[in-house]
């Protein structure tokens, strides 16, 4: 594949994710049983510099989606517990600081609280609001479906989902796409990602990591969306 110039925030995120071991290349057995040549663990995106990079990338992806009309105007960023909570808060901050876009953020608890303000939802109310959900990596889509249900149950409308990484793989049946399944719920073109598998491959090619690139290409040929 011919590598063109890569958007700065994408290459920055890949580089910084590798530095904190959130992104690794090698051989990894996934829950699905597939042997993957790379592994992404968003739980390790937990230092100041990497969170600054991640928030810039999420905010840029969302702002571009608004400009291209892929997303309608929205009111709230929703971060599913637990990993999504810091993602939503830092992205709300970056959207305001970098793009002068003011949105609220909300998240859920794993267990409902029976004292104080009570309930499962925290942050700005989503009732009657348009909501964008932030996710790390969508595999089966179970977590995103649950987040959509939570928002809808609380009176909100989900108008977009942004993942940190789209693995661009077929499901266990060899043909289905989780992204397409989620888009059937919220609208075509409404599931976006900062990075796709092909972005990782462009980065590997740019940095002359030929063995890792060959392993990625073989995996993509076997499991990639056609």
């Amino acid at each position: 594949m011919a590598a063109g110039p890569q958007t700065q925030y994408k290459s920055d995120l890949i580089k910084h994710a590798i530095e904190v071991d959130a992104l690794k290349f090698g051989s990894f057995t996934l829950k699905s049983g597939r042997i993957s040549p790379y592994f992404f663990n968003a739980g390790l995106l937990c230092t100041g510099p990497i969170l600054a990079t991640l928030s810039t990338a999420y905010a840029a992806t969302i702002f571009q989606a608004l400009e291209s009309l892929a997303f309608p105007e929205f009111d709230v960023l929703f971060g599913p517990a637990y990993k999504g909570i810091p993602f939503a808060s830092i992205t709300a901050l970056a959207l305001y600081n970098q793009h002068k876009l003011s949105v609220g953020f909300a998240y859920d608890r794993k267990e409902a609280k029976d004292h104080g303000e009570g309930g499962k939802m925290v942050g700005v109310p989503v009732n009657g609001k348009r909501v964008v959900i932030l996710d790390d990596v969508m595999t089966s889509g179970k977590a995103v479906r649950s987040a959509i249900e939570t928002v809808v149950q609380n009176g909100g409308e989900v108008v977009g989902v942004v993942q940190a990484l789209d693995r661009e793989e077929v499901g266990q049946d060899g043909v289905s796409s989780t992204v397409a399944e989620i888009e059937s719920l919220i609208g075509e073109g409404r599931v976006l990602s900062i990075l796709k598998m092909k972005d990782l491959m462009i980065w590997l090619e740019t940095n002359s990591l030929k063995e890792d690139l060959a392993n990625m290409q073989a995996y993509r040929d076997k499991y990639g969306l056609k």
Side-chain angles (χ1 to χ4, degrees):
M1 61 186 288
Q6 190 160 48
T7 310
Q8 189 65 45
Y9 68 80
K10 291 186 178 188
S11 54
D12 285 348
L13 182 57
I14 293 168
K15 176 172 166 285
H16 289 145
I18 289 170
E19 287 172 356
V20 297
D21 279 344
L23 175 61
K24 295 180 178 181
F25 296 98
S27 181
F28 308 91
T29 303
L30 305 180
K31 284 181 185 175
S32 63
R34 293 176 182 175
I35 309 297
S36 172
Y38 73 104
F39 187 72
F40 182 68
N41 179 1
L44 294 176
L45 302 176
C46 52
T47 67
I50 190 67
L51 288 173
T53 303
L54 181 66
S55 63
T56 293
Y58 266 128
T61 303
I62 291 167
F63 193 72
Q64 287 167 12
L66 290 169
E67 286 198 315
S68 68
L69 304 181
F71 283 3
E73 289 186 11
F74 70 97
D75 312 289
V76 182
L77 286 172
F78 181 76
Y82 291 104
K83 287 179 187 174
I85 298 172
F87 297 168
S89 60
I90 61 174
T91 302
L93 184 65
L95 279 170
Y96 182 72
N97 282 342
Q98 298 170 18
H99 303 283
K100 296 296 175 269
L101 185 65
S102 177
V103 297
F105 88 93
Y107 60 93
D108 61 340
R109 297 186 177 96
K110 295 276 190 182
E111 303 83 21
K113 187 177 176 186
D114 59 5
H115 59 282
E117 74 276 21
K120 283 187 69 176
M121 295 290 282
V122 186
V124 299
V126 299
N127 187 37
K129 303 290 179 65
R130 288 175 163 179
V131 180
V132 169
I133 294 171
L134 300 186
D135 191 27
D136 52 357
V137 185
M138 202 186 302
T139 308
S140 68
K142 182 180 176 183
V144 171
R145 285 188 192 88
S146 176
I148 292 170
E149 285 175 15
T150 297
V151 170
V152 171
Q153 284 168 2
N154 285 274
E157 177 192 3
V158 178
V159 297
V161 172
V162 183
Q163 313 171 71
L165 174 67
D166 180 357
R167 291 184 63 96
E168 299 184 290
E169 291 181 34
V170 292
Q172 292 298 299
D173 61 4
V175 291
S176 65
S177 156
T178 301
V179 167
E181 289 169 10
I182 299 301
E183 287 187 344
S184 73
L185 301 176
I186 66 171
E188 190 176 346
R190 294 278 181 90
V191 178
L192 303 178
S193 62
I194 299 170
L195 297 171
K196 295 181 183 293
M197 185 182 183
K198 64 187 173 192
D199 293 310
L200 305 185
M201 294 172 72
I202 289 169
W203 189 88
L204 289 169
E205 184 170 2
T206 302
N207 288 274
S208 300
L209 297 168
K210 294 178 182 176
E211 184 179 346
D212 288 327
L213 179 60
N215 292 338
M216 293 281 277
Q217 186 61 59
Y219 187 81
R220 188 182 175 93
D221 291 344
K222 190 171 184 180
Y223 296 118
L225 285 167
K226 303 299 186 283

PDB file of all heavy atoms in Angstrom, residues 41-64:
ATOM      1  N   ASN A  41      -5.066  -1.212  24.085  1.00  0.00           N
ATOM      2  CA  ASN A  41      -5.660  -1.189  25.425  1.00  0.00           C
ATOM      3  C   ASN A  41      -5.844   0.261  25.858  1.00  0.00           C
ATOM      4  O   ASN A  41      -4.910   0.908  26.329  1.00  0.00           O
ATOM      5  CB  ASN A  41      -4.758  -1.935  26.407  1.00  0.00           C
ATOM      6  CG  ASN A  41      -5.323  -1.928  27.827  1.00  0.00           C
ATOM      7  OD1 ASN A  41      -6.402  -1.387  28.080  1.00  0.00           O
ATOM      8  ND2 ASN A  41      -4.597  -2.514  28.760  1.00  0.00           N
ATOM      9  N   ALA A  42      -7.057   0.774  25.683  1.00  0.00           N
ATOM     10  CA  ALA A  42      -7.337   2.179  25.990  1.00  0.00           C
ATOM     11  C   ALA A  42      -7.206   2.485  27.474  1.00  0.00           C
ATOM     12  O   ALA A  42      -7.043   3.639  27.855  1.00  0.00           O
ATOM     13  CB  ALA A  42      -8.731   2.541  25.497  1.00  0.00           C
ATOM     14  N   GLY A  43      -7.246   1.453  28.317  1.00  0.00           N
ATOM     15  CA  GLY A  43      -7.090   1.671  29.751  1.00  0.00           C
ATOM     16  C   GLY A  43      -5.728   2.215  30.127  1.00  0.00           C
ATOM     17  O   GLY A  43      -5.542   2.771  31.217  1.00  0.00           O
ATOM     18  N   LEU A  44      -4.751   2.061  29.224  1.00  0.00           N
ATOM     19  CA  LEU A  44      -3.397   2.564  29.497  1.00  0.00           C
ATOM     20  C   LEU A  44      -3.193   3.991  28.979  1.00  0.00           C
ATOM     21  O   LEU A  44      -2.104   4.547  29.102  1.00  0.00           O
ATOM     22  CB  LEU A  44      -2.350   1.632  28.879  1.00  0.00           C
ATOM     23  CG  LEU A  44      -2.282   0.230  29.498  1.00  0.00           C
ATOM     24  CD1 LEU A  44      -1.293  -0.649  28.752  1.00  0.00           C
ATOM     25  CD2 LEU A  44      -1.905   0.309  30.978  1.00  0.00           C
ATOM     26  N   LEU A  45      -4.236   4.587  28.416  1.00  0.00           N
ATOM     27  CA  LEU A  45      -4.149   5.986  27.972  1.00  0.00           C
ATOM     28  C   LEU A  45      -4.436   6.868  29.182  1.00  0.00           C
ATOM     29  O   LEU A  45      -5.498   7.467  29.309  1.00  0.00           O
ATOM     30  CB  LEU A  45      -5.158   6.247  26.850  1.00  0.00           C
ATOM     31  CG  LEU A  45      -5.010   5.371  25.602  1.00  0.00           C
ATOM     32  CD1 LEU A  45      -6.139   5.663  24.613  1.00  0.00           C
ATOM     33  CD2 LEU A  45      -3.663   5.618  24.924  1.00  0.00           C
ATOM     34  N   CYS A  46      -3.459   6.934  30.096  1.00  0.00           N
ATOM     35  CA  CYS A  46      -3.748   7.537  31.403  1.00  0.00           C
ATOM     36  C   CYS A  46      -2.655   8.479  31.904  1.00  0.00           C
ATOM     37  O   CYS A  46      -2.495   8.653  33.100  1.00  0.00           O
ATOM     38  CB  CYS A  46      -4.026   6.446  32.434  1.00  0.00           C
ATOM     39  SG  CYS A  46      -2.755   5.164  32.509  1.00  0.00           S
ATOM     40  N   THR A  47      -1.898   9.072  30.993  1.00  0.00           N
ATOM     41  CA  THR A  47      -0.930  10.097  31.403  1.00  0.00           C
ATOM     42  C   THR A  47      -1.366  11.443  30.814  1.00  0.00           C
ATOM     43  O   THR A  47      -2.136  11.489  29.841  1.00  0.00           O
ATOM     44  CB  THR A  47       0.489   9.780  30.902  1.00  0.00           C
ATOM     45  OG1 THR A  47       0.508   9.887  29.461  1.00  0.00           O
ATOM     46  CG2 THR A  47       0.930   8.376  31.298  1.00  0.00           C
ATOM     47  N   GLY A  48      -0.872  12.519  31.383  1.00  0.00           N
ATOM     48  CA  GLY A  48      -1.212  13.851  30.888  1.00  0.00           C
ATOM     49  C   GLY A  48      -0.958  14.018  29.394  1.00  0.00           C
ATOM     50  O   GLY A  48      -1.856  14.430  28.648  1.00  0.00           O
ATOM     51  N   PRO A  49       0.259  13.698  28.915  1.00  0.00           N
ATOM     52  CA  PRO A  49       0.554  13.896  27.493  1.00  0.00           C
ATOM     53  C   PRO A  49      -0.342  13.070  26.562  1.00  0.00           C
ATOM     54  O   PRO A  49      -0.821  13.584  25.548  1.00  0.00           O
ATOM     55  CB  PRO A  49       2.022  13.457  27.372  1.00  0.00           C
ATOM     56  CG  PRO A  49       2.586  13.661  28.735  1.00  0.00           C
ATOM     57  CD  PRO A  49       1.474  13.341  29.679  1.00  0.00           C
ATOM     58  N   ILE A  50      -0.600  11.798  26.908  1.00  0.00           N
ATOM     59  CA  ILE A  50      -1.409  10.968  26.010  1.00  0.00           C
ATOM     60  C   ILE A  50      -2.877  11.403  26.042  1.00  0.00           C
ATOM     61  O   ILE A  50      -3.567  11.386  25.025  1.00  0.00           O
ATOM     62  CB  ILE A  50      -1.281   9.449  26.344  1.00  0.00           C
ATOM     63  CG1 ILE A  50      -1.940   8.594  25.251  1.00  0.00           C
ATOM     64  CG2 ILE A  50      -1.889   9.104  27.675  1.00  0.00           C
ATOM     65  CD1 ILE A  50      -1.272   8.642  23.919  1.00  0.00           C
ATOM     66  N   LEU A  51      -3.356  11.855  27.208  1.00  0.00           N
ATOM     67  CA  LEU A  51      -4.732  12.350  27.277  1.00  0.00           C
ATOM     68  C   LEU A  51      -4.888  13.648  26.484  1.00  0.00           C
ATOM     69  O   LEU A  51      -5.924  13.885  25.865  1.00  0.00           O
ATOM     70  CB  LEU A  51      -5.167  12.546  28.730  1.00  0.00           C
ATOM     71  CG  LEU A  51      -5.412  11.253  29.516  1.00  0.00           C
ATOM     72  CD1 LEU A  51      -5.665  11.554  30.990  1.00  0.00           C
ATOM     73  CD2 LEU A  51      -6.579  10.466  28.940  1.00  0.00           C
ATOM     74  N   ALA A  52      -3.849  14.484  26.485  1.00  0.00           N
ATOM     75  CA  ALA A  52      -3.882  15.711  25.679  1.00  0.00           C
ATOM     76  C   ALA A  52      -3.954  15.357  24.198  1.00  0.00           C
ATOM     77  O   ALA A  52      -4.733  15.947  23.433  1.00  0.00           O
ATOM     78  CB  ALA A  52      -2.650  16.567  25.971  1.00  0.00           C
ATOM     79  N   THR A  53      -3.161  14.370  23.789  1.00  0.00           N
ATOM     80  CA  THR A  53      -3.167  13.921  22.393  1.00  0.00           C
ATOM     81  C   THR A  53      -4.516  13.310  22.021  1.00  0.00           C
ATOM     82  O   THR A  53      -5.084  13.580  20.958  1.00  0.00           O
ATOM     83  CB  THR A  53      -2.046  12.888  22.158  1.00  0.00           C
ATOM     84  OG1 THR A  53      -0.796  13.476  22.510  1.00  0.00           O
ATOM     85  CG2 THR A  53      -1.989  12.440  20.717  1.00  0.00           C
ATOM     86  N   LEU A  54      -5.043  12.465  22.923  1.00  0.00           N
ATOM     87  CA  LEU A  54      -6.318  11.781  22.666  1.00  0.00           C
ATOM     88  C   LEU A  54      -7.472  12.782  22.565  1.00  0.00           C
ATOM     89  O   LEU A  54      -8.307  12.679  21.661  1.00  0.00           O
ATOM     90  CB  LEU A  54      -6.596  10.763  23.776  1.00  0.00           C
ATOM     91  CG  LEU A  54      -7.877   9.944  23.631  1.00  0.00           C
ATOM     92  CD1 LEU A  54      -7.803   9.025  22.416  1.00  0.00           C
ATOM     93  CD2 LEU A  54      -8.139   9.126  24.902  1.00  0.00           C
ATOM     94  N   SER A  55      -7.512  13.744  23.474  1.00  0.00           N
ATOM     95  CA  SER A  55      -8.607  14.722  23.457  1.00  0.00           C
ATOM     96  C   SER A  55      -8.568  15.571  22.196  1.00  0.00           C
ATOM     97  O   SER A  55      -9.613  15.870  21.603  1.00  0.00           O
ATOM     98  CB  SER A  55      -8.566  15.611  24.702  1.00  0.00           C
ATOM     99  OG  SER A  55      -7.380  16.381  24.750  1.00  0.00           O
ATOM    100  N   THR A  56      -7.362  15.934  21.756  1.00  0.00           N
ATOM    101  CA  THR A  56      -7.215  16.691  20.504  1.00  0.00           C
ATOM    102  C   THR A  56      -7.746  15.877  19.327  1.00  0.00           C
ATOM    103  O   THR A  56      -8.435  16.403  18.451  1.00  0.00           O
ATOM    104  CB  THR A  56      -5.734  17.053  20.271  1.00  0.00           C
ATOM    105  OG1 THR A  56      -5.328  17.989  21.284  1.00  0.00           O
ATOM    106  CG2 THR A  56      -5.509  17.674  18.904  1.00  0.00           C
ATOM    107  N   ALA A  57      -7.434  14.582  19.326  1.00  0.00           N
ATOM    108  CA  ALA A  57      -7.854  13.697  18.232  1.00  0.00           C
ATOM    109  C   ALA A  57      -9.375  13.487  18.226  1.00  0.00           C
ATOM    110  O   ALA A  57     -10.017  13.554  17.170  1.00  0.00           O
ATOM    111  CB  ALA A  57      -7.131  12.362  18.337  1.00  0.00           C
ATOM    112  N   TYR A  58      -9.953  13.233  19.398  1.00  0.00           N
ATOM    113  CA  TYR A  58     -11.411  13.090  19.482  1.00  0.00           C
ATOM    114  C   TYR A  58     -12.096  14.382  19.016  1.00  0.00           C
ATOM    115  O   TYR A  58     -13.038  14.351  18.231  1.00  0.00           O
ATOM    116  CB  TYR A  58     -11.848  12.801  20.924  1.00  0.00           C
ATOM    117  CG  TYR A  58     -12.000  11.343  21.293  1.00  0.00           C
ATOM    118  CD1 TYR A  58     -11.363  10.817  22.414  1.00  0.00           C
ATOM    119  CD2 TYR A  58     -12.816  10.489  20.554  1.00  0.00           C
ATOM    120  CE1 TYR A  58     -11.518   9.488  22.781  1.00  0.00           C
ATOM    121  CE2 TYR A  58     -12.977   9.154  20.913  1.00  0.00           C
ATOM    122  CZ  TYR A  58     -12.325   8.660  22.029  1.00  0.00           C
ATOM    123  OH  TYR A  58     -12.476   7.339  22.391  1.00  0.00           O
ATOM    124  N   ALA A  59     -11.596  15.523  19.530  1.00  0.00           N
ATOM    125  CA  ALA A  59     -12.215  16.809  19.214  1.00  0.00           C
ATOM    126  C   ALA A  59     -12.112  17.118  17.720  1.00  0.00           C
ATOM    127  O   ALA A  59     -13.081  17.591  17.112  1.00  0.00           O
ATOM    128  CB  ALA A  59     -11.571  17.922  20.043  1.00  0.00           C
ATOM    129  N   ALA A  60     -10.958  16.845  17.114  1.00  0.00           N
ATOM    130  CA  ALA A  60     -10.770  17.101  15.681  1.00  0.00           C
ATOM    131  C   ALA A  60     -11.704  16.231  14.852  1.00  0.00           C
ATOM    132  O   ALA A  60     -12.306  16.695  13.874  1.00  0.00           O
ATOM    133  CB  ALA A  60      -9.317  16.852  15.289  1.00  0.00           C
ATOM    134  N   THR A  61     -11.847  14.956  15.245  1.00  0.00           N
ATOM    135  CA  THR A  61     -12.726  14.028  14.528  1.00  0.00           C
ATOM    136  C   THR A  61     -14.178  14.500  14.593  1.00  0.00           C
ATOM    137  O   THR A  61     -14.906  14.484  13.584  1.00  0.00           O
ATOM    138  CB  THR A  61     -12.600  12.609  15.117  1.00  0.00           C
ATOM    139  OG1 THR A  61     -11.220  12.198  15.062  1.00  0.00           O
ATOM    140  CG2 THR A  61     -13.443  11.603  14.348  1.00  0.00           C
ATOM    141  N   ILE A  62     -14.603  14.937  15.777  1.00  0.00           N
ATOM    142  CA  ILE A  62     -15.983  15.414  15.960  1.00  0.00           C
ATOM    143  C   ILE A  62     -16.211  16.711  15.187  1.00  0.00           C
ATOM    144  O   ILE A  62     -17.239  16.878  14.507  1.00  0.00           O
ATOM    145  CB  ILE A  62     -16.288  15.612  17.460  1.00  0.00           C
ATOM    146  CG1 ILE A  62     -16.337  14.248  18.166  1.00  0.00           C
ATOM    147  CG2 ILE A  62     -17.600  16.373  17.665  1.00  0.00           C
ATOM    148  CD1 ILE A  62     -16.331  14.321  19.675  1.00  0.00           C
ATOM    149  N   PHE A  63     -15.257  17.635  15.275  1.00  0.00           N
ATOM    150  CA  PHE A  63     -15.421  18.927  14.597  1.00  0.00           C
ATOM    151  C   PHE A  63     -15.504  18.741  13.079  1.00  0.00           C
ATOM    152  O   PHE A  63     -16.320  19.371  12.403  1.00  0.00           O
ATOM    153  CB  PHE A  63     -14.269  19.866  14.969  1.00  0.00           C
ATOM    154  CG  PHE A  63     -14.518  21.296  14.562  1.00  0.00           C
ATOM    155  CD1 PHE A  63     -15.447  22.067  15.235  1.00  0.00           C
ATOM    156  CD2 PHE A  63     -13.826  21.862  13.505  1.00  0.00           C
ATOM    157  CE1 PHE A  63     -15.700  23.385  14.864  1.00  0.00           C
ATOM    158  CE2 PHE A  63     -14.071  23.177  13.111  1.00  0.00           C
ATOM    159  CZ  PHE A  63     -15.009  23.943  13.800  1.00  0.00           C
ATOM    160  N   GLN A  64     -14.668  17.840  12.555  1.00  0.00           N
ATOM    161  CA  GLN A  64     -14.714  17.543  11.119  1.00  0.00           C
ATOM    162  C   GLN A  64     -16.061  16.927  10.731  1.00  0.00           C
ATOM    163  O   GLN A  64     -16.603  17.212   9.660  1.00  0.00           O
ATOM    164  CB  GLN A  64     -13.567  16.600  10.731  1.00  0.00           C
ATOM    165  CG  GLN A  64     -12.207  17.267  10.728  1.00  0.00           C
ATOM    166  CD  GLN A  64     -11.062  16.264  10.658  1.00  0.00           C
ATOM    167  OE1 GLN A  64     -11.272  15.090  10.392  1.00  0.00           O
ATOM    168  NE2 GLN A  64      -9.857  16.726  10.915  1.00  0.00           N
TER     169      GLN A  64
END
